[in-house]
Amino acid sequence: MSPKARLPNDPGERQPIASFHANDHDAIRRAYILRGPFQPYAHEFPKRWIGDRERHFNFVWFHNFPWVEYSVKKDAVFCFVCYLFKNKESKGKGTDAFTVKGWKNWNIGENALLKHARSKAHKAAQEKYFGFLNPDAAIDDKIEKWSTEDRYLYKKRLTYSLRCLKFLLHQGLAFRGHDESAESSNRGNFIELLKFVAAHSEEVNKYVLNNAPSNCTLTSPMIQKQIIQCCAIETRKKIIGELGEEPFAILADECSDISHKEQLALCLRYVDASGRPCEHFLGVAHVDDTTSLSLKDAIEALLVSHGLTLTRIRGQGYDGASNMRGDIKGLKTLIMQESPSAYYIHCFAHQLQLVLVAVAKGNNDCVWFFDQVSLLLNIVGVSCKRHGMLRDARIENLMRALDCGELETGSGLNQEMGLARPGDTRWSSHYKASFDFVFCLHLMFTILGYTNDLSECLQRREQDILNAITLVKAAKKRMEHLRNHGWDQFLDRIILFCNKHGVQVPAMEGNYVPFGRSVRFVHDQNNDDHFRRAIYIGVIDQISMELASRFDEVNMELLSCMAAFDPSNSFASFDAQKVRRLAEFYPNDISSTDLLKLDFQLDNFIDVLREDDDFKDLHNLIDLSVKLVEKKRHKVYDVVYLLLKLVLLLPVATASVERAFSALTFVKSKLRNRMGDSLLDDCLLTYIEKDFFFEVDEEDIIQTFMDLRKRRPNKKT
């Protein structure tokens, strides 16, 4: 029987290569290489208790470490290249676990796999593996043969190219030029920046451009893209590293870029080590269509490519489109089939927009008002002359107000503004554009002013859902106060404005006569009926009704139970039964044993914290979470803190995704409309996540670049 016929697939059943006849070694290696590593993705990996929880093999490791093999027989991991090419002298130096016994410490996770990948034994085996695949490669092409001087010069050139690219990535600027030839007066931002740095630093000039080997200047477009890719890889590692093994929520939305490609943006929301919720951009992916199944596949591919899985999701935040929130085939339903505790929250800021759009389109006077605003914008917007007239009139009024002391001077105040066009989902533009009318202007100005403050609060990255609900309730109360007690003050302000600008004020008891409008708007009513009842009260009532109907999350049992965690007023709303019921919403995170533990912890938790002065002035769940970590109480009440983190994961708004789209329009502009999807993803990540990007050590980026593709620094001839 030939050796090939005796080669089992399962690495746990294989015999060492050395046990075969020496003449058969290469044939056996070739046979296994043709098969590839044994990676049974569809296998149901068994769970076993390690420490305080059940753990199992993570199939994502197949993707992150291509050399990983899984033994079904031994429920263990083996190294494919070490099995084939391990040195005899490496025995007993850490490789036996991956070649003979099998590694199965699932609690250590990727750390152990990374440690093995960086070991000398594995690197030596991998070098032999690549040499076996490409026997014609010159030996001097290997990194081990580089001289110390070659390494030094190569690293210097790479460092200066990296620093120039880091600056351009941070600013979201283009790299290439229209003409990059040596004769061009503008060779693009990257080359010109490198030239500028070299011209002002003799140290840099010694190593780059004309003083570098002509075949190793490290400035080609391909090199630029690879360095950018390495920057993105290391930046993403920082984000994933901060996340660790914690659960997370996802925020997603799609939009069309300048090339008319549909791009899906994905952000993660998680609680960091300080106990504070944070949202970070993960990446963008091009999708051919926006069906829920396509979006789900794109999200899963993005997560898996970075070592994350759908099963760790504990919250979803999207807009209210049917493909997102559908109960049968919507994206939220497809995600919850993978992770039942991934509860969906309709973006609060988007709901607020829909409230105001419904009011603007549901009241005839509001419709007329915004039609006039749009007409005014069309008239003024197409003419530079009219723009100039409007600008001059504004400056004249501004100077008059400054002379009278009505306005203050200062940095950022009284700046020149353009005309913003009203839009349905950009409702705050109504607030900025409506300054030239009287009654409807003041009414919209008042309502949009209050709701604009609410919108800004909802879009804060650190907002928690319980506080968001409180803000919405406060907005409802404000509308109720305006309806019942705000009319007289509102009317006085309008009369003052009209008197100042020479606008005639009609008597409220007189008959209403519409100015410049069709007779079909004339009704048998006086001015008080029309302005106070029909418009003022009518609009406010409609807003109150829309707020109540659209923000239905307030009535969810899940959010009702969260209110029992509210730390304000010395935990006045605390309810142990509701907190325990809240824990039942997360059966995959809090086991039946944990529930018993939770009962005892809750009693101690509330008694101790109510007596502790450090916890007396807390106002929301974030304050509570941060204070627990600060005082090390999160370790004492570990189940309570776990539940609190799960609550904080629920997203309030998709503002982080909207900010990513704003960055996308800046990074992929009309002049850069041919940018590929991979480069776009890398540039967006480093541009949006600037803080993480600049925390990355240059040495890590350089090492990743060297590992990405082995290069030999050719000497200049």
Side-chain angles (χ1 to χ4, degrees):
M1 182 182 294
S2 66
K4 293 183 183 180
R6 304 194 301 270
L7 303 180
N9 286 324
D10 192 308
E13 298 177 351
R14 296 175 190 161
Q15 296 297 318
I17 297 280
S19 65
F20 295 93
H21 192 278
N23 293 335
D24 294 328
H25 288 183
D26 284 351
I28 294 171
R29 291 185 176 112
R30 194 171 293 109
Y32 272 123
I33 290 173
L34 288 174
R35 295 182 188 179
F38 184 66
Q39 297 179 337
Y41 275 89
H43 179 64
E44 186 173 345
F45 302 105
K47 298 180 180 180
R48 57 191 176 87
W49 284 94
I50 302 179
D52 59 346
R53 65 177 65 181
E54 288 184 317
R55 301 180 186 271
H56 62 85
F57 174 83
N58 189 345
F59 71 90
V60 175
W61 295 335
F62 288 146
H63 177 85
N64 293 346
F65 305 95
W67 46 265
V68 162
E69 295 187 288
Y70 177 80
S71 170
V72 175
K73 179 179 180 181
K74 293 187 175 182
D75 182 29
V77 163
F78 290 81
C79 178
F80 184 63
V81 296
C82 286
Y83 169 73
L84 295 177
F85 296 100
K86 182 182 70 171
N87 291 330
K88 292 181 180 179
E89 57 269 21
S90 298
K91 186 175 181 181
K93 295 185 179 181
T95 58
D96 284 356
F98 288 89
T99 56
V100 180
K101 303 174 183 176
W103 173 83
K104 56 176 65 179
N105 296 327
W106 312 136
N107 57 315
I108 302 177
E110 291 194 3
N111 291 332
L113 299 177
L114 283 170
K115 183 178 180 180
H116 175 73
R118 294 168 179 169
S119 66
K120 292 183 179 180
H122 177 82
K123 288 182 177 179
Q126 189 136 9
E127 192 65 39
K128 290 183 179 180
Y129 174 75
F130 289 134
F132 188 84
L133 294 178
N134 187 15
D136 297 329
I139 190 169
D140 60 355
D141 284 341
K142 297 181 179 180
I143 189 171
E144 285 78 3
K145 299 299 181 180
W146 293 4
S147 70
T148 302
E149 182 182 3
D150 285 341
R151 287 174 179 270
Y152 176 78
L153 295 176
Y154 185 86
K155 187 174 180 180
K156 279 288 186 181
R157 294 191 292 272
L158 180 58
T159 299
Y160 295 131
S161 292
L162 169 61
R163 288 175 181 175
C164 291
L165 286 170
K166 283 180 68 176
F167 174 81
L168 296 175
L169 286 169
H170 182 268
Q171 299 300 115
L173 299 176
F175 315 103
R176 305 284 305 279
H178 177 69
D179 181 4
E180 296 187 352
S181 64
E183 298 78 20
S184 174
S185 60
N186 186 351
R187 299 174 65 186
N189 289 338
F190 172 64
I191 299 294
E192 292 298 326
L193 180 59
L194 190 57
K195 284 171 57 179
F196 179 84
V197 175
H200 291 79
S201 173
E202 293 183 4
E203 175 67 18
V204 177
N205 190 49
K206 289 191 300 185
Y207 304 105
V208 302
L209 298 174
N210 294 331
N211 292 322
S214 59
N215 61 346
C216 191
T217 60
L218 296 178
T219 58
S220 70
M222 183 186 69
I223 294 293
Q224 293 178 42
K225 290 180 180 179
Q226 290 176 344
I227 295 176
I228 293 168
Q229 180 185 2
C230 295
C231 291
I233 288 172
E234 291 302 317
T235 303
R236 209 173 260 117
K237 278 184 182 179
K238 285 280 185 182
I239 298 174
I240 301 300
E242 184 178 89
L243 170 62
E245 297 297 323
E246 296 292 325
F248 57 88
I250 59 173
L251 301 93
D253 202 355
E254 74 280 345
C255 80
S256 177
D257 64 19
I258 194 67
S259 301
H260 304 289
K261 287 183 175 181
E262 199 71 32
Q263 302 285 359
L264 173 75
L266 183 67
C267 293
L268 302 181
R269 179 181 173 93
Y270 57 89
V271 178
D272 63 18
S274 67
R276 193 175 298 278
C278 52
E279 296 176 3
H280 292 292
F281 177 75
L282 183 65
V284 293
H286 170 55
V287 291
D288 295 324
D289 57 69
T290 57
T291 62
S292 56
L293 186 58
S294 296
L295 296 179
K296 186 251 186 181
D297 291 342
I299 290 173
E300 184 173 19
L302 263 176
L303 293 176
V304 170
S305 65
H306 304 304
L308 306 174
T309 61
L310 294 177
T311 56
R312 289 173 60 185
I313 299 176
R314 293 298 180 270
Q316 306 177 68
Y318 321 121
D319 60 23
S322 59
N323 64 331
M324 296 291 196
R325 66 178 302 175
D327 291 330
I328 299 177
K329 295 184 178 180
L331 177 61
K332 71 156 189 180
T333 304
L334 297 178
I335 297 293
M336 290 189 74
Q337 289 173 358
E338 303 285 342
S339 179
S341 298
Y343 299 109
Y344 164 76
I345 300 295
H346 184 182
C347 171
F348 273 42
H350 186 262
Q351 292 186 78
L352 184 58
Q353 293 172 356
L354 296 178
V355 167
L356 297 167
V357 169
V359 172
K361 293 184 175 180
N363 184 282
N364 290 333
D365 291 278
C366 290
V367 172
W368 171 83
F369 171 73
F370 287 116
D371 285 345
Q372 300 305 306
V373 172
S374 298
L375 181 61
L376 176 64
L377 292 173
N378 289 333
I379 293 173
V380 177
V382 297
S383 171
C384 294
K385 180 180 179 180
R386 297 186 188 114
H387 261 293
M389 294 171 62
L390 183 62
R391 189 181 302 112
D392 293 340
R394 182 180 181 276
I395 292 175
E396 182 180 345
N397 290 334
L398 180 60
M399 296 304 297
R400 189 183 302 116
L402 289 173
D403 291 339
C404 297
E406 295 179 4
L407 293 177
E408 296 180 356
T409 60
S411 176
L413 299 178
N414 310 314
Q415 294 183 356
E416 183 176 327
M417 297 182 294
L419 293 174
R421 184 171 299 279
D424 281 358
T425 58
R426 306 290 184 188
W427 62 267
S428 61
S429 60
H430 293 300
Y431 174 63
K432 299 174 183 176
S434 305
F435 289 93
D436 301 311
F437 297 92
V438 185
F439 191 89
C440 287
L441 179 145
H442 280 79
L443 179 58
M444 291 297 104
F445 182 79
T446 300
I447 291 174
L448 294 176
Y450 284 126
T451 52
N452 189 65
D453 290 340
L454 172 60
S455 178
E456 291 180 356
C457 290
L458 292 177
Q459 295 183 60
R460 292 174 184 165
R461 285 187 175 93
E462 295 183 354
Q463 192 63 264
D464 68 81
I465 188 110
L466 196 59
N467 196 48
I469 293 174
T470 302
L471 292 172
V472 173
K473 290 180 178 179
K476 292 178 182 178
K477 290 182 179 179
R478 171 56 60 181
M479 291 299 114
E480 183 179 351
H481 177 80
L482 286 176
R483 184 189 190 281
N484 297 331
H485 307 289
W487 168 252
D488 291 336
Q489 184 180 359
F490 177 74
L491 183 60
D492 291 342
R493 189 164 65 249
I494 293 177
I495 294 173
L496 180 64
F497 178 88
C498 292
N499 291 337
K500 180 179 179 180
H501 295 280
V503 178
Q504 184 177 359
V505 180
M508 288 295 105
E509 63 275 6
N511 292 331
Y512 168 68
V513 179
F515 176 77
R517 300 177 69 185
S518 171
V519 294
R520 67 188 179 93
F521 289 98
V522 179
H523 303 287
D524 186 15
Q525 59 180 345
N526 59 26
N527 290 314
D528 183 74
D529 289 335
H530 177 74
F531 290 109
R532 184 167 67 89
R533 294 188 178 89
I535 303 180
Y536 182 81
I537 294 178
V539 169
I540 293 176
D541 283 349
Q542 190 171 4
I543 286 183
S544 299
M545 181 181 66
E546 290 289 337
L547 285 172
S549 63
R550 292 191 181 274
F551 287 91
D552 54 357
E553 285 86 354
V554 176
N555 300 319
M556 288 174 54
E557 183 187 7
L558 174 63
L559 301 187
S560 175
C561 292
M562 289 180 187
F565 250 137
D566 188 358
S568 58
N569 299 320
S570 298
F571 297 88
S573 302
F574 182 81
D575 187 328
Q577 292 300 319
K578 284 190 175 182
V579 174
R580 194 185 191 285
R581 172 62 183 138
L582 179 63
E584 295 174 0
F585 282 93
Y586 298 96
N588 292 332
D589 301 279
I590 301 178
S591 64
S592 56
T593 304
D594 291 330
L595 285 176
L596 295 175
K597 188 177 179 181
L598 177 64
D599 289 335
F600 295 107
Q601 285 192 5
L602 284 175
D603 292 337
N604 295 329
F605 171 82
I606 193 60
D607 291 340
V608 172
L609 265 59
R610 277 177 173 167
E611 296 297 325
D612 194 330
D613 291 340
D614 291 328
F615 290 85
K616 287 191 180 300
D617 296 325
L618 305 181
H619 299 95
N620 53 54
L621 297 181
I622 297 176
D623 292 344
L624 174 60
S625 176
V626 172
K627 187 63 70 174
L628 284 172
V629 174
E630 180 184 328
K631 299 300 179 181
K632 303 293 189 296
R633 298 291 179 85
H634 67 298
K635 296 180 179 179
V636 179
Y637 309 112
D638 56 332
V639 182
V640 176
Y641 181 65
L642 172 60
L643 187 56
L644 180 59
K645 287 194 297 183
L646 293 171
V647 169
L648 291 175
L649 288 181
L650 291 179
V652 175
T654 58
S656 295
V657 182
E658 297 295 337
R659 294 185 187 101
F661 290 148
S662 297
L664 187 149
T665 59
F666 180 77
V667 171
K668 189 172 182 179
S669 60
K670 289 183 178 180
L671 296 178
R672 305 175 72 186
N673 60 6
R674 293 195 297 174
M675 180 183 291
D677 294 333
S678 178
L679 180 59
L680 173 63
D681 184 38
D682 295 338
C683 291
L684 275 179
L685 180 72
T686 51
Y687 178 68
I688 295 171
E689 297 297 339
K690 293 182 175 71
D691 293 339
F692 276 110
F693 181 31
F694 274 89
E695 286 180 6
V696 175
D697 194 324
E698 285 184 355
E699 291 295 328
D700 292 334
I701 299 176
I702 291 172
Q703 185 59 50
T704 301
F705 178 81
M706 302 289 283
D707 293 341
L708 189 67
R709 181 180 178 183
K710 301 295 184 182
R711 292 177 176 81
R712 175 178 176 268
N714 297 287
K715 297 180 180 179
K716 188 175 180 179
T717 57

